[in-house]
């Protein structure tokens, strides 16, 4: 007799039991790890994972409870934990418990955001939330809009695609040397010329250098500025760059604000993004300074008519007569077909915390960065690269060469004691702390420096 099929996620009774198993396994795995990163380096982590996994595709399964407990525990034990205050290398945020719970609900319901009949309420929710967030980016625009994306890479690619559809393949892109690598990759994927790169010796685009570049560039141009560079968290001078684009006449502005965009929610720090609303398109990630489980990206556009270029018809999803009868057409809301209702976790977070609550989290992390910079400046034997703009702090031991800096970072990683990033600036290698955990304490910041100092003297 054929065995009964396993229960579905839409049935809350088995889901509740499985959730309890998963949460226990998460707790056990974190206890086994005992720090921000598993100790031993890649070989040791891989060996332990293989031991737990066993045969990846067995002939007979072990059963749902054992499989769930064993593999969730193994993954947690071998995870880089962004909720640990000493895990501060990347733009890798600890997600809010509330958002993770909403994400579970989205997974259980499993709407597919490519046709209305697969996602009736989810499509309506996405329309409402994206409209509100687009209005936050473009408060004075008549018809702003936003698309949900998987993050900055997809958003930047969409921005270049929309510009190409407006101007054709003669479009040139101009980026700063500080720009995210996804812009170069997007130009390649879209068959556009390699972007023209403006040097950024001080970390941001110089408007005068941009003006010189535009004067030498024929035809339509998309200038891609950055609000929150990956290495240093710097913000290009957006008002001046917008003025430069306007003076050129055929240059449009895109801003990659994947990192810095959520600073709009902070009443204190929002002026850092003055000029953002003068862009034509803006990238924002809420899985960075928005504390959402990945993925939670957006591409905001000043004018919703720009999105018409994404229109696409598949009779089984958006037949013309269905659209004429009033069924919403979702295919033009993404380059993807099947996609998750990632908007639910964001909608829950926005409703629960509001602009004020999220802005306070931004402010807390900005303050933490300033506090860490203060500690570095007060610590003999450590050098600070510069006062932080957002939540990124670069520092290094005084007199250390680049090899020593790289060794310190890898030693801390291998021992599982701290997760710090690396960045090149001023021709040197720096340790990078990216502070996105609002629960980090002054004692945690001091411990980061103590661990670095201890590794320096080995």
């Amino acid at each position: 007799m054929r065995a009964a099929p396993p229960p579905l996620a839409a049935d809350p009774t088995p889901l509740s039991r499985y959730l309890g198993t998963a949460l226990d396994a998460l707790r056990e795995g974190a206890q086994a790890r005992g720090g921000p990163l598993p100790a031993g380096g890649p070989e040791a982590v891989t060996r332990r994972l293989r031991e737990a996994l066993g045969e990846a595709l067995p002939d007979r399964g072990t059963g749902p409870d054992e499989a769930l407990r064993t593999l969730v525990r193994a993954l947690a034990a071998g995870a880089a934990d962004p909720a640990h205050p000493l895990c501060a290398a990347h733009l890798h945020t600890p997600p809010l418990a509330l958002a993770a719970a909403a994400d579970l609900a989205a997974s259980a319901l499993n709407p597919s955001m490519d046709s209305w009949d697969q996602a009736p309420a989810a499509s309506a929710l996405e329309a409402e939330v994206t409209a509100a967030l687009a209005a936050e980016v473009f408060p004075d625009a008549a018809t702003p809009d936003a698309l949900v994306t998987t993050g900055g890479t997809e958003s930047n690619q969409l921005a270049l695609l929309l510009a190409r559809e407006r101007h054709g393949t003669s479009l040139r892109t101009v980026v700063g040397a500080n720009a995210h690598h996804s812009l170069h990759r997007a130009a390649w994927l879209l068959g556009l010329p390699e972007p023209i790169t403006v040097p950024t010796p001080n970390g941001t685009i110089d408007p005068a250098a941009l003006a010189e570049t535009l004067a030498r560039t024929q035809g339509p141009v998309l200038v891609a500025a950055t609000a929150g560079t990956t290495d240093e968290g710097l913000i290009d001078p957006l008002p001046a760059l917008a003025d430069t684009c306007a003076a050129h006449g055929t240059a449009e502005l895109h801003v990659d604000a994947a990192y810095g965009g959520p600073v709009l929610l902070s009443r204190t720090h929002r002026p850092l993004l003055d000029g953002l609303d003068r862009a034509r398109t803006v990238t924002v990630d809420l899985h960075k300074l928005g504390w959402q489980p990945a993925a939670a990206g957006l591409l905001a556009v000043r004018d919703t008519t720009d999105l018409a270029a994404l229109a696409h018809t598949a009779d089984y999803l958006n037949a013309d007569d269905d659209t004429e009868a009033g069924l919403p057409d979702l295919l033009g809301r993404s380059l993807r077909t099947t996609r998750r209702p990632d908007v639910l976790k964001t909608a829950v977070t926005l409703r629960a915390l509001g602009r004020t609550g999220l802005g306070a989290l931004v402010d807390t992390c900005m303050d933490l960065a300033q506090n860490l910079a203060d500690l570095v400046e007060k610590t003999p034997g450590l050098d600070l690269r510069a006062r932080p703009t957002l939540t990124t702090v670069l520092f290094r031991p005084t007199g250390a060469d680049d090899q020593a800096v790289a060794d310190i970072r890898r030693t801390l990683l291998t021992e599982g004691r701290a997760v710090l990033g690396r960045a090149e600036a001023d021709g040197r290698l720096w340790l990078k702390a990216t502070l996105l955990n609002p629960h980090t304490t002054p004692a945690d910041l001091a411990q980061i420096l103590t661990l670095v100092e201890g590794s320096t003297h080995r």
Side-chain angles (χ1 to χ4, degrees):
M1 180 181 294
R2 181 176 297 173
L8 301 177
D11 186 340
T13 300
L15 180 60
S16 179
R17 180 167 62 84
Y18 291 149
L19 180 57
T21 299
L23 291 176
D24 287 343
L26 284 172
R27 190 177 302 110
E28 294 167 5
Q31 291 171 348
R33 185 181 66 244
L37 197 76
E43 291 185 4
V45 172
T46 299
R47 182 182 67 254
R48 292 192 291 265
L49 187 282
R50 285 175 174 166
E51 289 171 355
L53 175 64
E55 189 177 358
L57 182 60
D59 185 53
R60 291 184 178 274
T62 61
D65 292 284
E66 187 281 335
L68 185 62
R69 179 178 293 278
T70 297
L71 293 186
V72 171
R73 186 187 187 282
L75 200 66
D81 181 6
H84 194 290
L86 302 186
C87 187
H90 302 288
L91 291 164
H92 181 198
T93 194
L96 296 170
L98 177 71
D103 213 27
L104 171 65
S107 294
L109 292 168
N110 203 32
S112 184
M113 304 293 291
D114 51 313
S115 67
W116 183 87
D117 58 355
Q118 299 176 85
S123 60
L125 181 66
E126 183 176 273
E128 294 296 317
V129 173
T130 53
L133 292 172
E136 196 73 20
V137 177
F138 298 111
D140 297 325
T143 57
D145 204 347
L147 301 180
V148 174
T149 72
T150 54
T153 294
E154 183 184 351
S155 295
N156 286 338
Q157 182 180 348
L158 274 169
L160 264 65
L161 172 63
L162 294 176
R164 188 195 70 179
E165 293 306 289
R166 289 193 298 271
H167 302 293
T169 54
S170 62
L171 176 74
R172 298 304 306 267
T173 52
V174 175
V175 302
N178 61 354
H180 193 262
H181 65 84
S182 61
L183 289 159
H184 293 269
R185 177 176 288 187
W188 166 65
L189 286 169
L190 294 169
L192 295 171
E194 173 68 16
I196 301 167
T197 300
V198 179
T200 54
N202 296 317
T204 58
I205 297 176
D206 175 18
L210 175 62
E212 292 176 4
T213 299
L214 293 179
R216 298 192 302 267
T217 305
Q218 300 297 315
V221 177
L222 182 70
V223 175
T226 306
T229 59
T230 304
D231 279 348
E232 298 187 71
L234 302 179
I235 298 174
D236 285 330
L238 302 179
L241 298 184
D243 289 343
T244 302
C245 290
H248 183 263
T250 61
E252 297 174 348
L253 181 64
H254 166 69
V255 179
D256 178 359
Y259 180 5
V263 173
L264 288 171
L265 301 172
S266 165
R267 289 188 176 92
T268 302
H269 299 290
R270 185 184 178 104
L272 288 171
L273 296 181
D274 284 351
L276 184 69
D277 59 338
R278 296 177 62 187
R280 186 143 186 176
T281 51
V282 174
T283 290
V284 178
D285 276 0
L286 292 172
H287 54 243
K288 295 182 172 70
L289 280 174
W291 297 278
Q292 300 297 291
L298 293 170
L299 177 71
V301 298
R302 167 173 286 280
D303 187 342
T304 189
T305 60
D306 282 354
L307 300 179
L310 301 179
H312 182 73
T313 299
D315 284 345
Y316 75 105
L317 293 174
N318 64 339
D320 289 343
D321 59 323
D322 277 348
T323 302
E324 291 168 2
L327 295 184
D329 178 1
L330 304 185
L331 278 188
R333 304 294 299 177
S334 178
L335 291 179
R336 294 168 285 149
T337 304
T338 301
R339 59 186 179 92
R340 301 181 73 250
D342 286 316
V343 74
L344 176 60
K345 60 199 173 193
T346 298
V348 169
T349 300
L350 295 176
R351 180 181 176 86
L353 299 183
R355 184 185 291 103
T356 301
L358 280 167
L361 294 179
V362 171
D363 292 344
T364 296
C365 291
M366 299 277 275
D367 290 345
L368 286 168
Q370 296 298 328
N371 293 341
L372 180 58
D374 290 342
L375 288 175
V376 172
E377 288 184 325
K378 295 174 182 177
T379 302
L382 292 178
D383 294 337
L384 179 69
R385 159 69 176 159
R387 300 297 303 186
T389 300
L390 293 176
T391 70
T392 301
V393 180
L394 301 190
F395 64 101
R396 54 181 281 138
T398 302
D401 60 20
D402 287 355
Q403 184 62 55
V405 173
D407 288 344
I408 290 169
R409 175 179 175 272
R410 284 193 290 268
T411 296
L412 293 174
L413 290 177
T414 301
E415 295 175 350
R417 291 154 65 88
V419 189
L420 295 174
R422 55 184 288 163
E424 291 190 10
D426 194 27
R428 295 183 290 173
L429 186 64
W430 299 79
L431 296 170
K432 177 174 70 171
T434 309
L435 300 170
L436 297 178
N437 186 342
H439 293 283
T440 300
T441 67
D444 296 324
L445 299 178
Q447 188 177 1
I448 290 174
L449 301 189
T450 298
L451 289 171
V452 169
E453 290 180 295
S455 298
T456 301
H457 301 306
R458 291 187 181 185

